[in-house]
Amino acid sequence: MDELIPRFESLGLAPQKAKEAASNKKIAPVLDNLMSATGQSTFSRTTGLLLYALATTAAKEKTPHTDYIARAIASGRIASTEQLTAATKFCSKNDPAADEQAFDNACGVGVFISDEAISASVKAVLEGLKDTLLEQRYRGQGRALGMVMRCPDLRWADSAKVKSEFDVQLLALLGPKDERDNPAAQKKAAAKKPAPKAAAAAAAAAPLRKGWEPASLESMFAGGDISRMHKPGENPQICPKLMEAHLKATDGKVITRFPPEPNGYLHIGHAKAINVNFGYAKTHGGVCNLRYDDTNPTAEEQEYVDSILEAVRWLGFEPHQILYSSDYFQQLYELAIKLIERGLAYVCHCTGDEIREQRGGDDNRGERFACPHRDRPASESLAEFQKMKEGRYAANTATLRMKMDLEDGNPQMWDLVAYRVIYASHHRTGTQWCIYPTYDFTHCLCDSFENITHSLCTREFFLSRQSYYWLCDAAEVYKPVQWEYGRLNVTNTVLSKRKLLKLRDEGVISTLDDPRLYTLPALRRRGVPPSAINAFVRELGVTTADTTIDVNRLENHIRDSLNEIAPRIMAAVHPIKVVLENLPEDHIELIELPYKPRDDSFGVHQVPFTRTLYIDRSDFREIDSPDYYRLAPNKTVGLQGAAHPITCTAVRKAPDGSISELVCRYENTGSHPKPKTFIQWVADCPSLGSPVRLDEVRIYNPLFTHSNPQDKSVVPGGWLSDVNRDSLEIVKGAVAEVGLWDSIKRYAATETGKKELDEHNVEGLRFQFMRIGYFTLDKDTALSAAAISEDRVGDVRFIVNRIVTLKEDSKKEAATAA
């Protein structure tokens, strides 16, 4: 092995990669032979990496004519991964030496695509889409780029040049992005401004605005490896009849699946998986199934089954079929019998520790050796497997293992367990079975049963691709293609089910939908719009690298989405009472306010203006400063929507020294300069339902102190020690203006609102408390249909969650903090 390391490094492989390749018993001899087949001793980095890519493919799929392909790489005829893919595909069915011209044609050998040809092809595609693009503008960008990248004339073109030319021509066609590329602004520009009374009536009858539309799904799949995946029917099979039957059943349609295990809530990483699986199928005119991987009855619960489907639908997707691995228990059992009969599976009585030793110990680096039961007669394993099925073995005393390849360098080929004994009631089959198939046995076979064309999964299953294909071929069933993409993680949190349960058990959180978490139910409860999650995921695209994204990037998408859908409401989270000394006690006037300034489509509402008001504590200082523009003693500020400003004339204190009220003068006589700033306020007018009193405002901050709480170099005490014990602040006594209640009534009058409230989902009621942040109602809010229909705002116990803060400039933040 040692002598191969410098040889492989000469290909341009990094030292660690060369060492891994040299120690891989499958890849090392193949790569060594390919290097020898070229007849060369030195290699360019491009040539070396292509040879390595060929070796890894050949080791797994036993590609024929690899020596010929290696020489084509060395001579420069094959110079890109696209050409290499075409070469292996051609050689799987043809002898390249027998028809070199056909090989060259199939692989684009000698084809040069000039800049002029790229420009002409891009122009032709955009001309064909011109009317659609002029209508959709940049919302159609993803689809257009996908069509350009799939253009046959550009198959062998430099993809970077194609993308650059596409960007130039699209800009020339559409011009820079402007308000037309914002659906909300487009709707606003098209709407006629109604008269004030008409606007108020329309606002009362109309639903709250629909959410901001995220980028097209097509943009996720327009570039990279996922844009070059096989078409249905192109994946090779061990027997041609299997593909014939597959195409007859599917009519050549793309079929994907999203296969979660129902043992916990989905999280932000699953949002990417949902978008990838459902999105790829939708983009290519296919369908996607939801399949519950329910093969472990000790961990699965109906609560999680229901939650998963709710999460998928919440993100805007509808499964073509809702299926369960348990649907196939009988078929899986019959295939297990078939494998035993063919000598490809055996019953093993080794303990877990013994199996670990057989596989080389904990690090898989020790000597591997066969299980003593590996070569028992098939008849004996059949009898033992029947005993397992009949419940004659205790748990952990017998397993069915697949007889794979112990000499292979891939641990996923070391006789994986196919069945184990578990005595537990299954959520669907009850106690019908006491043997249950493992993920490694179930997953690929269920994909096969469902005629999945593209089995898309995350990178931790990369090594499983080989065992996936091995089992499909061993069982002689249709073999889908598995393709892996990078996992998505975000900073300042943990996503592991085990760690989430630990947080609950330690009393840090009480439920797994606590809004400080990044499970999908938690994000939904916090008030995060699904459009924001989809936009975040789609912006990242689909690559093969695992990514950990700063949570601020997600929050920016949340703000963008909420900015489009949230009505503006005046509120005081920490209220201070203000008395306008020059107004009579019974003074009431109605002021009309827009739900969103400069956007008439949101409508308007009326709020009372009275002698007694409330302002937020952040809008007052006892000691003024030149860079502070809000209220202070002897200082004048404007009130949002009010005709005149106010001036603070006195500060009254409670016995404990806190401010009990501010005495102000309403400057409704004489002329006054326009105030530098305007603050929000809430009137004290019980006869008109003001203020709306909020029982609790829950302010959520990051649950962990560091961006990576699992990094022991930063958090030596372990991830649990990094918990921010002040991550939840509960504020009592906040108040809001009557627009809050008016918006709730409008929402309840809509079809969507009725349905959501009937199901006790209140997080669709989202608001911007002006200059404070975005908020929603928590599910703990006692909001009944009767209270809404009978206008009994006083009967409602309002619990409000902060979704996210507003973006503020540094001066404003400093002023608030002072």
Side-chain angles (χ1 to χ4, degrees):
M1 179 191 84
D2 291 343
E3 67 275 9
L4 290 178
I5 296 176
R7 179 165 166 77
F8 290 169
E9 286 181 353
S10 72
L11 294 173
L13 299 182
Q16 182 60 33
K17 195 72 176 177
K19 184 177 180 181
E20 291 174 0
S23 63
N24 189 306
K25 294 181 180 180
K26 286 289 186 180
I27 293 177
V30 174
L31 182 55
D32 188 34
N33 290 336
L34 291 178
M35 293 175 69
S36 299
T38 66
Q40 296 183 4
S41 57
T42 60
F43 305 90
S44 69
R45 178 171 171 78
T46 298
T47 298
L49 295 181
L50 286 173
L51 286 172
Y52 176 74
L54 175 60
T56 57
T57 300
K60 293 175 183 176
E61 301 179 6
K62 296 182 172 55
T63 306
H65 309 296
T66 51
D67 286 359
Y68 183 94
I69 300 174
R71 289 191 291 272
I73 292 172
S75 66
R77 291 166 65 202
I78 300 298
S80 69
T81 54
E82 290 85 357
Q83 287 183 304
L84 178 59
T85 299
T88 55
K89 181 178 177 181
F90 179 89
C91 291
S92 67
K93 299 179 180 179
N94 307 280
D95 179 358
D99 192 343
E100 292 196 348
Q101 187 59 51
F103 175 84
D104 289 352
N105 292 341
C107 302
V109 174
V111 176
F112 172 73
I113 311 297
S114 67
D115 293 350
E116 292 77 13
I118 292 174
S119 178
S121 295
V122 172
K123 182 178 180 181
V125 173
L126 294 185
E127 281 290 334
L129 295 172
K130 184 174 180 179
D131 291 342
T132 301
L133 286 170
L134 290 174
E135 178 185 352
Q136 297 183 352
R137 291 185 57 77
Y138 284 92
R139 286 172 290 141
Q141 180 177 3
R143 176 170 177 262
L145 178 59
M147 292 182 67
V148 166
M149 290 298 189
R150 292 191 293 271
C151 180
D153 293 340
L154 299 177
R155 182 179 182 187
W156 310 114
D158 185 319
S159 57
K161 286 186 176 181
V162 174
K163 177 63 166 61
S164 177
E165 181 64 24
F166 171 82
D167 291 341
V168 169
Q169 292 198 27
L170 190 67
L171 180 63
L173 175 64
L174 302 180
K177 289 185 177 181
D178 56 31
E179 67 277 358
R180 290 173 293 175
D181 303 302
N182 182 325
Q186 203 170 13
K187 182 176 178 181
K188 171 186 170 184
K192 291 184 178 180
K193 185 175 181 178
K197 289 185 179 179
L208 294 180
R209 288 166 52 85
K210 291 181 180 179
W212 165 68
E213 289 296 326
S216 168
L217 269 174
E218 294 166 333
S219 63
M220 291 188 75
F221 311 106
D225 289 345
I226 200 167
S227 68
R228 298 185 290 270
M229 292 191 69
H230 72 287
K231 296 177 182 178
E234 292 183 348
N235 44 318
Q237 303 295 317
I238 194 171
C239 172
K241 289 184 178 180
L242 294 173
M243 180 56 71
E244 293 172 9
H246 165 75
L247 292 175
K248 184 177 180 180
T250 65
D251 198 26
K253 180 180 291 187
V254 167
I255 304 176
T256 63
R257 81 289 169 272
F258 174 58
E261 183 180 359
N263 64 350
Y265 288 151
L266 301 183
H267 55 65
I268 187 68
H270 291 110
K272 177 178 179 179
I274 291 169
N275 270 269
V276 168
N277 282 283
F278 283 90
Y280 187 86
K282 184 176 181 180
T283 299
H284 293 86
V287 296
C288 180
N289 298 330
L290 169 61
R291 182 175 74 237
Y292 293 102
D293 178 29
D294 59 339
T295 59
N296 183 2
T298 63
E300 293 143 6
E301 297 179 21
Q302 188 62 40
E303 173 192 356
Y304 300 134
V305 171
D306 297 339
S307 172
I308 288 169
L309 180 57
E310 286 178 11
V312 169
R313 287 174 170 164
W314 180 61
L315 289 178
F317 300 100
E318 184 61 36
H320 175 63
Q321 295 184 85
I322 299 172
L323 304 166
Y324 298 81
S325 293
S326 56
D327 293 337
Y328 309 106
F329 276 174
Q330 184 61 36
Q331 287 173 264
L332 293 168
Y333 171 75
E334 291 169 2
L335 282 179
I337 294 293
K338 180 178 178 180
L339 290 182
I340 296 172
E341 290 174 341
R342 297 184 61 206
L344 295 174
Y346 60 95
V347 171
C348 167
H349 296 283
C350 297
T351 65
D353 288 340
E354 288 171 338
I355 292 176
R356 193 176 302 111
E357 287 302 313
Q358 293 163 16
R359 293 168 58 89
D362 290 332
D363 59 0
N364 292 336
R365 294 182 180 276
E367 181 182 356
R368 295 193 296 275
F369 56 93
C371 160
H373 312 100
R374 195 173 197 262
D375 295 322
R376 71 194 320 171
S379 58
E380 190 176 308
S381 281
L382 285 171
E384 292 295 297
F385 192 45
Q386 181 63 27
K387 291 178 183 178
M388 289 172 60
K389 183 175 182 291
E390 292 172 353
R392 293 162 64 183
Y393 282 115
N396 303 317
T397 60
T399 60
L400 180 70
R401 295 175 66 183
M402 294 174 274
K403 189 183 290 188
M404 303 171 83
D405 186 353
L406 296 176
E407 296 302 313
D408 195 287
N410 184 349
Q412 285 297 110
M413 293 297 292
W414 300 345
D415 288 15
L416 299 176
V417 173
Y419 269 85
R420 70 279 204 213
V421 176
I422 300 177
Y423 294 104
S425 179
H426 189 275
H427 72 108
R428 296 185 74 238
T429 62
T431 56
Q432 178 181 352
W433 296 87
C434 65
I435 54 170
Y436 289 92
T438 61
Y439 173 90
D440 291 309
F441 186 77
T442 305
H443 187 67
C444 63
L445 295 178
C446 288
D447 279 354
S448 177
F449 299 153
E450 294 170 15
N451 279 300
I452 300 302
T453 58
H454 298 75
S455 180
L456 308 176
C457 57
T458 46
R459 285 284 296 173
E460 67 262 36
F461 296 105
F462 172 71
L463 294 178
S464 297
R465 188 198 298 185
Q466 187 176 355
S467 57
Y468 183 110
Y469 291 162
W470 179 92
L471 181 52
C472 286
D473 287 344
E476 298 179 328
V477 297
Y478 161 74
K479 179 171 59 184
V481 167
Q482 176 176 306
W483 187 82
E484 308 86 15
Y485 57 89
R487 286 178 63 120
L488 169 63
N489 295 292
V490 295
T491 60
N492 297 92
T493 193
V494 294
L495 300 176
S496 150
K497 295 183 183 78
R498 181 179 58 82
K499 288 185 170 66
L500 295 180
L501 292 172
K502 183 71 171 176
L503 288 171
R504 187 186 64 184
D505 295 342
E506 292 288 327
V508 176
I509 58 174
S510 59
T511 63
L512 295 180
D513 66 348
D514 184 294
R516 290 168 289 180
L517 301 179
Y518 284 82
T519 64
L520 294 184
L523 290 168
R524 181 176 183 176
R525 181 178 179 182
R526 185 172 134 196
V528 174
S531 57
I533 296 174
N534 287 336
F536 170 65
V537 167
R538 294 170 192 176
E539 177 188 72
L540 299 174
V542 185
T543 67
T544 56
D546 291 344
T547 53
T548 299
I549 306 299
D550 193 308
V551 73
N552 289 323
R553 191 164 169 182
L554 170 60
E555 291 188 350
N556 285 335
H557 279 286
I558 295 171
R559 291 187 185 96
D560 287 341
S561 184
L562 290 170
N563 182 55
E564 300 296 332
I565 65 174
R568 276 51 171 172
I569 303 294
M570 295 191 298
V573 175
H574 300 281
I576 297 177
K577 185 178 180 180
V578 174
V579 176
L580 303 179
E581 59 182 347
N582 58 326
L583 291 183
E585 293 280 354
D586 60 352
H587 179 86
I588 298 178
E589 67 178 281
L590 294 178
I591 296 177
E592 186 173 87
L593 296 176
Y595 272 115
K596 187 179 181 185
R598 299 177 296 280
D599 192 338
D600 298 331
S601 64
F602 272 75
V604 297
H605 64 294
Q606 290 186 326
V607 299
F609 180 75
T610 58
R611 171 185 167 90
T612 302
L613 311 172
Y614 297 96
I615 67 171
D616 194 77
R617 185 175 66 193
S618 63
D619 287 330
F620 177 77
R621 275 188 188 176
E622 288 193 77
I623 300 174
D624 200 4
S625 66
D627 61 348
Y628 183 72
Y629 299 111
R630 284 172 269 172
L631 192 63
N634 302 311
K635 189 172 183 178
T636 302
V637 298
L639 297 176
Q640 290 284 352
H644 306 285
I646 62 172
T647 302
C648 180
T649 59
V651 179
R652 293 176 179 164
K653 299 286 188 76
D656 63 0
S658 62
I659 298 173
S660 61
E661 67 180 40
L662 304 177
V663 179
C664 296
R665 182 174 61 252
Y666 188 47
E667 305 291 2
N668 55 352
T669 60
S671 61
H672 300 273
K674 184 178 179 181
K676 290 184 177 180
T677 193
F678 290 79
I679 64 175
Q680 71 263 38
W681 51 274
V682 177
D684 186 8
C685 185
S687 63
L688 295 178
S690 182
V692 176
R693 299 194 178 275
L694 309 179
D695 289 72
E696 287 185 8
V697 176
R698 297 173 179 174
I699 306 296
Y700 296 103
N701 294 302
L703 184 56
F704 293 93
T705 303
H706 294 89
S707 61
N708 183 5
Q710 300 175 89
D711 184 349
K712 292 184 179 179
S713 66
V714 178
V715 189
W719 67 275
L720 202 56
S721 69
D722 197 49
V723 168
N724 173 15
R725 301 292 171 173
D726 298 320
S727 56
L728 172 59
E729 177 189 357
I730 297 179
V731 181
K732 302 278 191 178
V735 295
E737 47 115 325
V738 295
L740 177 65
W741 183 241
D742 178 66
S743 295
I744 291 172
K745 291 191 294 183
R746 288 193 304 130
Y747 181 74
T750 68
E751 187 174 331
T752 299
K754 288 176 184 176
K755 180 177 181 295
E756 291 296 305
L757 293 176
D758 284 346
E759 296 174 0
H760 306 291
N761 296 325
V762 295
E763 74 284 339
L765 290 158
R766 304 179 182 96
F767 316 93
Q768 185 196 108
F769 286 170
M770 294 173 64
R771 296 178 44 256
I772 299 176
Y774 291 103
F775 292 80
T776 189
L777 298 186
D778 187 78
K779 68 178 186 179
D780 291 340
T781 296
L783 184 63
S784 67
I788 296 172
S789 63
E790 298 171 17
D791 206 15
R792 301 199 313 266
V793 63
D795 291 352
V796 180
R797 180 174 179 265
F798 288 98
I799 309 296
V800 179
N801 294 334
R802 187 177 73 182
I803 306 170
V804 69
T805 59
L806 297 176
K807 292 180 184 176
E808 295 183 318
D809 61 39
S810 57
K811 279 190 176 182
K812 191 171 182 182
E813 289 174 355
T816 302

